[in-house]
Amino acid sequence: MMVSPSIALLLPGFKTLKAAQRKSFLGELSNADLPKTIILIDSDEKRVENHPENFEFVHFVHDNDIGNTLRVGMAAALSMGAEKVVTFEGYAPSNARWFLPFLEAGNVIESKRRGFIDMLVTETVNLLSFGNSYNVFSMNRVYTKEAALVVKDTHQQGKAFLVESAKALSAHKIKTVEVIREDVKKNNRSSVNLKEAASSIARSISGLFVSYGILSSLAYMVNLIAVYASLSLGLFYPVAVFLGGEFSAISNFLMNEKMNFKNRGFMSSVYRLGKFNFFALIPLVFDVLFIGYLARYTNALGKTLFTDLSVGVVLAASTVTFTLLTRTIWSKDNHSRVHV
């Protein structure tokens, strides 16, 4: 199979493998037709033994931090004219040729089924960054030259580098495709430790999320004012809550749609407003029905417990609503997922 020339394969830590492991990995690569392929490996004075003749090996110096390592490697690859940069989740022979079907597909991430910690961190990052990735920590990646130029200028260390790089590509409106391998057995061992997980989550918080929180808080104030005004006019509680929810939902949507996400087009906004309003009704229904049900037992529960339960129900429903809205309304469309 002939593929595009000027492909750089980054192999940090390759020298730490046993000779037999290196030989097996390179043997798998040598069976692929990769013209003008550059292989960048970490600094080592020794020649790579038994290397294929059609590969050019380049050594580069790096430290023990994976983020710094990949940035230095990308910079070196770009300086040599690479059009695509490939990184690897591991150096098992079965992973050596993972990228071959995707070299003409732009920026690609290949993801296997996730462990619990990876899943939890990824989904939290998605919520805070309005992303929709399946596994932000997968290292099987193909970067185009355009993407590599952006990624090499990021700064975060450790595995949080991968979160920052995804955010940087999104900010530059560079699209990626994530290919999810459903046929691979789930690995329950997390690829990140707690420090990397915390750093990744903290890194995913952006000015957009802060602005979203502020505007949503203002919309909640609209809700309170509308409910209070409705009750003052003598309307029944369910009617007052419904009106407050509707005023809040519409104001929330309009502020975020036009000020934060800057979406254009009247019909597309109307369609999103319909979906937004549907999901925004979830806490409203819980509030009216469940709290109305609890109100029958106010004396038995006590005022304090009744208040705590009511607040808990509203918070739980609001959390579910926020998750649904992020997934269905506000998620950025520059990252697509394909299941194979």
Side-chain angles (χ1 to χ4, degrees), residues 230-248:
S230 298
L231 291 174
S232 299
L233 293 173
L235 297 179
F236 290 114
Y237 177 75
V239 176
V241 170
F242 175 79
L243 291 176
E246 282 297 293
F247 278 120
S248 176

Side-chain angles (χ1 to χ4, degrees), residues 26 30 34 36-37 47-57:
L26 294 175
S30 66
L34 293 172
K36 297 184 181 179
T37 299
R47 178 181 172 84
V48 178
E49 63 280 350
N50 300 318
H51 69 81
E53 294 296 330
N54 58 325
F55 295 157
E56 179 181 356
F57 283 79

Side-chain angles (χ1 to χ4, degrees), residues 324-335:
L324 291 172
L325 291 175
T326 301
R327 287 290 192 190
T328 60
I329 308 296
W330 305 127
S331 287
K332 299 171 183 175
D333 61 357
N334 60 335
H335 183 95

Side-chain angles (χ1 to χ4, degrees), residues 157-178:
Q157 296 181 338
K159 291 292 184 64
F161 151 79
L162 295 171
V163 175
E164 183 188 31
S165 65
K167 204 167 86 171
L169 294 180
S170 178
H172 285 78
K173 300 187 184 307
I174 297 176
K175 295 183 178 296
T176 59
V177 176
E178 188 165 12

Side-chain angles (χ1 to χ4, degrees), residues 19-51:
Q21 292 175 298
R22 292 199 295 267
K23 183 177 180 180
S24 296
F25 185 83
L26 294 175
E28 284 294 323
L29 280 175
S30 66
N31 292 328
D33 190 357
L34 293 172
K36 297 184 181 179
T37 299
I38 308 165
I39 294 185
L40 293 95
I41 62 175
D42 52 359
S43 180
D44 193 344
E45 295 179 359
K46 297 180 180 179
R47 178 181 172 84
V48 178
E49 63 280 350
N50 300 318
H51 69 81

Side-chain angles (χ1 to χ4, degrees), residues 64-84:
N64 292 326
D65 180 81
I66 187 62
N68 291 336
T69 297
L70 293 179
R71 280 189 290 266
V72 172
M74 284 186 187
L78 291 170
S79 69
M80 300 183 70
E83 296 295 327
K84 294 285 180 70

Side-chain angles (χ1 to χ4, degrees), residues 55-308:
F55 295 157
E56 179 181 356
F57 283 79
V58 177
H59 300 286
F60 69 100
V61 180
H62 70 77
D63 55 31
N64 292 326
D65 180 81
I66 187 62
N68 291 336
T69 297
L70 293 179
R71 280 189 290 266
V72 172
M74 284 186 187
L78 291 170
S79 69
M80 300 183 70
E83 296 295 327
K84 294 285 180 70
V85 181
V86 181
T87 60
F88 296 82
E89 182 74 13
Y91 301 132
S94 59
N95 196 52
R97 302 167 66 182
W98 77 265
F99 58 94
L100 292 180
F102 310 117
L103 284 174
E104 303 301 327
N107 297 289
V108 175
I109 302 172
E110 186 197 54
S111 296
K112 299 175 177 63
R113 297 177 67 184
R114 305 170 292 180
F116 177 74
I117 297 299
D118 287 351
M119 179 276 294
L120 183 63
V121 176
T122 297
E123 295 305 327
T124 303
V125 167
N126 284 338
L127 286 176
L128 297 178
S129 64
F130 304 97
N132 61 345
S133 63
Y134 178 79
N135 184 359
V136 294
F137 299 111
S138 174
M139 292 285 289
N140 275 354
R141 300 192 178 200
V142 176
Y143 293 93
T144 61
K145 182 178 181 179
E146 179 190 25
L149 285 168
V150 171
V151 171
K152 76 177 182 64
D153 292 328
T154 56
H155 304 285
Q156 194 70 13
Q157 296 181 338
K159 291 292 184 64
F161 151 79
L162 295 171
V163 175
E164 183 188 31
S165 65
K167 204 167 86 171
L169 294 180
S170 178
H172 285 78
K173 300 187 184 307
I174 297 176
K175 295 183 178 296
T176 59
V177 176
E178 188 165 12
V179 180
I180 302 167
R181 295 281 305 278
E182 297 286 359
D183 59 334
V184 178
K185 184 178 180 181
K186 181 174 64 176
N187 180 11
N188 290 318
R189 182 179 62 82
S190 174
S191 64
V192 290
N193 56 41
L194 291 179
K195 181 179 179 180
E196 290 171 335
S199 178
S200 298
I201 291 173
R203 187 65 191 170
S204 65
I205 300 174
S206 63
L208 175 61
F209 178 77
V210 174
S211 177
Y212 180 87
I214 292 173
L215 293 182
S216 296
S217 297
L218 291 175
Y220 181 70
M221 296 300 296
V222 171
N223 184 10
L224 294 179
I225 294 172
V227 171
Y228 179 78
S230 298
L231 291 174
S232 299
L233 293 173
L235 297 179
F236 290 114
Y237 177 75
V239 176
V241 170
F242 175 79
L243 291 176
E246 282 297 293
F247 278 120
S248 176
I250 294 173
S251 60
N252 191 345
F253 175 83
L254 291 177
M255 287 189 293
N256 281 299
E257 172 82 349
K258 301 306 179 184
M259 297 173 65
N260 271 334
F261 299 97
K262 297 179 172 61
N263 292 319
R264 298 292 182 263
F266 176 76
M267 292 307 299
S268 61
S269 291
V270 169
Y271 174 68
R272 275 193 297 274
L273 175 59
K275 292 199 298 182
F276 184 95
N277 199 47
F278 173 78
F279 289 120
L281 288 175
I282 292 175
L284 182 65
V285 172
F286 266 79
D287 191 8
V288 173
L289 297 182
F290 192 75
I291 296 178
Y293 174 79
L294 285 179
R296 303 176 187 177
Y297 304 97
T298 303
N299 293 332
L301 294 172
K303 188 174 181 179
T304 300
L305 181 57
F306 172 76
T307 301
D308 292 342

